[in-house]
């Protein structure tokens, strides 16, 4: 039997590592769990090492598996770059791009942009995932994270693709009942809608006025790990929310929300974040260029 490693096996292996599950990896790959299990078993026989420690609930990568994962990523990336180099004369990016973003921004802004992207580049395929946690693109196998917020790890490449900031706002009904805060310190006496989402520190709002930064501790009867729910609560008159202009700009323009303490803002630009190993990737560069142009033409009014 031929036990030579195949690129397809490396992709199966990487999928199992990311999912920590044979069945979840199989679902994401469109394969049967039995086939995924078979390919991993053949890889272990070919390499003579145990790649995973299996438990009743999940699989955990072994020390040898960590080394294989490191090399598998490099091999697959080099293969993708080879295809890009050879096909460069066609001037058309092709292949699979793994993209992630946050729930709200991903659904409302990034997903439509990616739809337009594959419409312009039909040879591209995009796998798009959304999450409420901060993604480590280098460790989790993503090619690109479209991220709102300026807290970027040093081991990745980040390119700003749109200006953005967060503002304080509330519904007219809430302000009529409770009054508008006149100073940042007064927020502690108001119902604030706290969000635990990606780079948000829970219950702590760091605001800028000019070049100075101010911090205020806030609380309220409602909190969530999803910004869209918090914005809806604000529209319902439940309190004050700190949210990106991409989210609340249209609602402020419609009069459903009113900006409070407009002299304060929180910088939260939109970034394209990708692993350093993909710095020369043509398909990543083309996608980032496209997203930057798309966001420029769809930016909300300030």
């Amino acid at each position: 039997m031929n036990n030579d490693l195949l690129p397809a096996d490396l992709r199966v292996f990487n999928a199992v590592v990311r999912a920590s599950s044979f069945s979840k990896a199989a679902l994401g790959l469109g394969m049967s769990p039995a086939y995924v299990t078979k390919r991993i078993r053949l890889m272990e026989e070919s390499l003579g090492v145990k790649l995973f420690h299996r438990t009743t609930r999940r699989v955990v990568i072994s020390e040898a598996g960590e080394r294989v994962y490191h090399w598998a990523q490099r091999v697959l990336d080099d293969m993708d770059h080879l295809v890009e180099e050879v096909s460069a004369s066609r001037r058309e990016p092709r292949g699979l791009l793994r993209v992630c973003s946050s729930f709200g921004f991903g659904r409302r802004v990034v997903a439509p942009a990616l739809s337009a992207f594959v419409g312009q580049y039909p040879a591209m395929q995009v796998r798009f995932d959304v999450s409420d946690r901060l993604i480590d693109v280098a460790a989790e196998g993503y090619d690109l994270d479209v991220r709102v917020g300026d807290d970027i790890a040093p081991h990745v490449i980040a390119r700003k693709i749109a200006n953005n900031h967060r503002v304080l706002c509330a519904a007219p009904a809430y302000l009529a009942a409770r009054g508008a805060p006149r100073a940042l310190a007064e927020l502690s006496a108001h119902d604030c809608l706290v969000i635990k989402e990606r780079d948000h520190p829970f219950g702590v709002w760091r605001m800028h006025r000019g070049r100075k930064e101010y911090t205020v501790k806030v609380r309220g009867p409602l909190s969530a790990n999803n910004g869209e729910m918090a914005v809806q609560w604000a529209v319902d008159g439940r309190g004050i929310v700190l949210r990106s202009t991409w989210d609340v700009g249209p609602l402020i323009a419609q009069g459903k929300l009113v900006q409070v303490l407009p002299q304060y803002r929180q910088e939260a630009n939109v970034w394209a974040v990708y692993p350093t190993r993909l710095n020369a990737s043509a398909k990543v560069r083309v996608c980032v260029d496209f997203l930057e142009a798309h966001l420029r033409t769809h930016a909300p009014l300030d």
Side-chain angles (χ1 to χ4, degrees):
M1 180 173 60
N2 185 0
N3 281 349
D4 290 342
L5 291 180
L6 301 174
D9 292 337
L10 297 181
R11 296 190 191 279
V12 169
F13 169 73
N14 283 5
V16 174
V17 173
R18 293 170 195 140
S20 296
S21 165
F22 283 75
S23 58
K24 289 180 181 178
L27 183 63
L29 293 168
M31 301 173 177
S32 70
Y35 180 80
V36 169
T37 301
K38 176 183 177 182
R39 299 318 306 178
I40 296 300
R41 177 175 56 80
L42 291 176
M43 279 188 66
E44 290 180 327
E45 291 176 359
S46 177
L47 294 170
V49 297
K50 195 174 188 64
L51 298 175
F52 297 100
H53 302 296
R54 297 160 176 83
T55 69
T56 55
R57 293 187 177 182
R58 60 180 300 188
V59 294
V60 180
I61 191 169
S62 67
E63 183 178 349
E66 290 278 8
R67 294 196 299 271
V68 174
Y69 182 60
H70 170 75
W71 281 102
Q73 284 186 302
R74 290 187 58 178
V75 169
L76 293 174
D77 285 338
D78 286 345
M79 291 184 63
D80 289 342
H81 293 161
L82 170 63
V83 173
E84 290 177 355
E85 287 278 343
V86 172
S87 61
S89 60
R90 290 196 292 260
R91 297 184 179 276
E92 183 180 4
R94 60 183 59 239
L96 175 65
L97 199 64
R98 296 152 294 188
V99 185
C100 60
S101 189
S102 56
F103 276 120
F105 191 74
R107 181 184 65 82
R108 290 182 301 96
V109 179
V110 182
L114 292 175
S115 175
F117 173 68
V118 297
Q120 183 167 328
Y121 299 100
M124 287 294 304
Q125 298 116 30
V126 175
R127 168 65 188 267
F128 183 46
D129 294 329
V130 292
S131 173
D132 62 354
R133 63 183 179 85
L134 199 60
I135 299 294
D136 185 340
V137 288
E140 298 184 48
Y142 286 100
D143 302 312
L144 178 63
D145 180 12
V146 185
R147 183 179 303 178
V148 178
D150 291 4
D151 187 13
I152 310 293
H155 68 282
V156 294
I157 297 174
R159 171 175 156 189
K160 187 168 75 170
I161 57 176
N163 295 320
N164 180 58
H165 57 271
R166 299 183 180 116
V167 297
L168 298 162
C169 52
Y174 175 86
L175 298 176
R178 298 288 300 274
R182 294 169 295 177
L184 202 62
E186 293 182 13
L187 289 176
S188 59
H190 277 266
D191 292 338
C192 294
L193 303 168
V194 182
I195 305 167
K196 177 57 179 174
E197 185 184 49
R198 285 202 152 199
D199 66 325
H200 284 223
F202 191 77
V204 177
W205 288 352
R206 296 188 178 95
M207 310 296 299
H208 284 89
R209 182 176 182 177
R211 295 185 177 181
K212 287 189 175 182
E213 182 179 88
Y214 302 85
T215 300
V216 58
K217 179 73 174 175
V218 297
R219 59 188 177 89
L222 290 170
S223 60
N225 69 338
N226 182 276
E228 289 182 301
M229 294 189 297
V231 170
Q232 184 57 54
W233 289 337
V235 172
D236 294 341
R238 302 304 178 197
I240 299 173
V241 70
L242 172 65
R243 200 63 184 155
S244 166
T245 53
W246 282 92
D247 296 320
V248 298
L251 297 172
I252 293 174
Q254 297 165 18
K256 294 181 179 180
L257 293 175
V258 176
Q259 190 173 349
V260 299
L261 297 172
Q263 65 272 37
Y264 293 95
R265 63 165 60 183
Q266 184 183 88
E267 293 301 319
N269 297 297
V270 183
W271 298 83
V273 179
Y274 46 96
T276 54
R277 69 177 188 275
L278 296 180
N279 188 33
S281 170
K283 63 183 181 182
V284 170
R285 184 182 66 252
V286 169
C287 185
V288 171
D289 289 344
F290 182 92
L291 291 174
E292 183 174 19
H294 182 91
L295 297 185
R296 188 184 306 118
T297 59
H298 293 77
L301 294 175
D302 191 347

